[in-house]
Amino acid sequence: MSEPRVFLLPDLGEGLTEAELVAWHVSVGDEITVDQPIAEVETAKSAVEVPSPYAGIVAELHGKPGETLDVGKPLISVTPLGSVVAADDAAPAPSPAQPEVEPAETELVEPKPESTEAEAYREEEKAGSGNVLIGYGTPGGHGVARRTRSRKSSVAVADPAETTPVSLSKEDELALLRTRVPGKLGAVISPLVRRMAREHGVDLGDIAGSGDSGLIMRRDVEAALRTTAPAATPEAKPEATPVAEPVEAPERPVESVEAQGRDARTGLAVSARTPVRGVRKAVAANMARSRSEIPEATVWVDVDATALMELREGLKANGVEVPGLLAFIARFVTAGLKKFPELNTRIETADDGSQEIVAFDGINLGFAAQTDRGLVVPSVRGAEKLSARELDAEIRRLTQVARDGKATPAELGSGTFTLNNYGVFGVDGSAAIINHPEVGILGVGRIIDKPWVVNGELAVRKVTELTLTFDHRVCDGGTAGGFLRFVADAIENPTSLLADI
C-alpha cells in the first residue's frame, strides 16, 4: 500500500489564515471521491464545505471538531484508491498442494472488473475534475492510470511500477494550498443538525426552531443542550468508554455555574463563557482597528422623505414593480459619490510610515446585513452603473446569500463605501463605525411621521435622519456636508435622479 496523500487546508479567502473545524463529513476508513465534501469549516467570512481533491480511502483526519486550523496545515490524509485495490485484491500465497498458476485458466479467466470509483479516480487524475476548487481545479496532467490486475491471469499480481503513486510536485501542492473553496450553505445543514441531536439525545420534536418558517438550526440544538444536559461527572462514565469517531459533532460539555467560577470584580457567578471567533471575531478586530486608526467625524441631517414615499406608492398603484427604499437611497448615494469622490477612497500606509489616498474608478457599494452568524457587509460591485431596479435585485440577492452563509470573500470584502439601514431596528440615528479600510459610512434611520414646516405652514411629513461618519484624513466637513446634503436633496426630490429608476 502506498503512502497517503496529505491535503492541506486551502486558502479560504483574502486575508484569512485560519478556520474553525465545525464537523467532519467522513471518517477514517471511508472511501471518498474527487470533489466529495469532507468537512465543514467556519471562517470569519462564511461557512464553507471543503471538497476533497483526491479519491481513495480516508487514512487520517487532522483535527477535531471545534479546533481552529491554520491555512497550509494538514487537513486530511487519503490513500489513493488504486493502491488500496491492489492490496485488497492480492491473492494469498499458494499452498504446496496447489499450483501457483494454471496455464489454461491464465488464458480463459477474465479479470475482475475494476471498481467504477477507481476508474473515475484515474480519469480525474489524468485530466483534473476542473470543479473541485475555484481558480485551479484538480491538478491535471500529472496522474498516471494504474492497473492493479493482469488482464491474462486469474491471480492478481500488482506491478510495482504501476501501483507506485505519483507524488505531487511542489508546484501542485502550492496550487492546492492557494486554491479558494466556494462558500456553501453552512449556517443550516439539516444532516448536521439531525446528527447533533441524535448523538446528544435531543428530541427535535420538542424544539421550537428559530430559523425561517420555524426551521430548527444548530444553535437551537446547542441551546437545548445547555438547558437540559447535566454536568458531566467522572463517576457517570462507564468503565469502558468507546473511542469517539472523528466524524462526530463537537462535544460541548455544559458546565454548571459553580464549575465556571465567580467573577472577582462583580462578585457574581459566571453563567457562560463564549469564545470570540468566526464572524464575531472578525467584526471585533475590524471595529477596534477602525476606532484606533481612523480620526472619524460625524454629521447628520433630518430629511423629508414624503416625496420618495409618494413616488413609490404611485408606482405601486400603476402596477409597476417597485424597488425597495434602500435601493432608491443606494442610487442617490452612488450619484453623490461620483460628485464627491473623496469619500470613495482608501488610505494606504507604506512600511516607511508614508501614506497615500487611493481613489477608485468605480463604486462597490457595501450594505450592512444582519445574519444568524453576525453582521456582514456584502457589496454591490460596479454599483454606479446600475439603475434602482438593478440595485434592488442585487441587494436582495446578496442579502440572501449572506444569510445562507454562501457569500464569497470577494462579495464580502470588496466594498469602497458602506450604506447602513439601521432604521429596520426601529432607531432614528447612530454614530456608526467606519468599515475599515473604507473612509465613510452613511446610516439611514426609520421613517416616521413628524411635524414639519412646508411653505411656512406646519404639516405632518414622513421624516428620516441621515448620519454620515467619515475619515477626516481624506476630506473636511465641507465635502462631507456637501455629500450628505446631496443625498438628502435627492430623497426630498427623487424624480431629479430617478429618470432610469
Side-chain angles (χ1 to χ4, degrees), residues 47 50 114 147 188 216 230 322-323 325 332 385 406 446 465:
V50 182
E114 296 180 349
R147 186 175 300 122
V188 178
I216 298 177
V322 182
L325 282 171
F332 304 150
K385 302 175 184 177
K406 293 182 177 180
R446 59 177 178 166
E465 181 180 286

Side-chain angles (χ1 to χ4, degrees), residues 98-138:
Q98 180 181 3
E100 292 188 4
V101 178
E102 296 181 9
E105 290 186 1
T106 301
E107 298 297 326
L108 298 177
V109 177
E110 284 294 324
K112 178 182 178 181
E114 296 180 349
S115 68
T116 304
E117 292 83 356
E119 196 62 42
Y121 166 66
R122 294 186 180 107
E123 291 302 319
E124 287 158 345
E125 256 199 335
K126 288 186 290 183
S129 69
N131 63 348
V132 180
L133 304 171
I134 291 177
Y136 294 89
T138 47

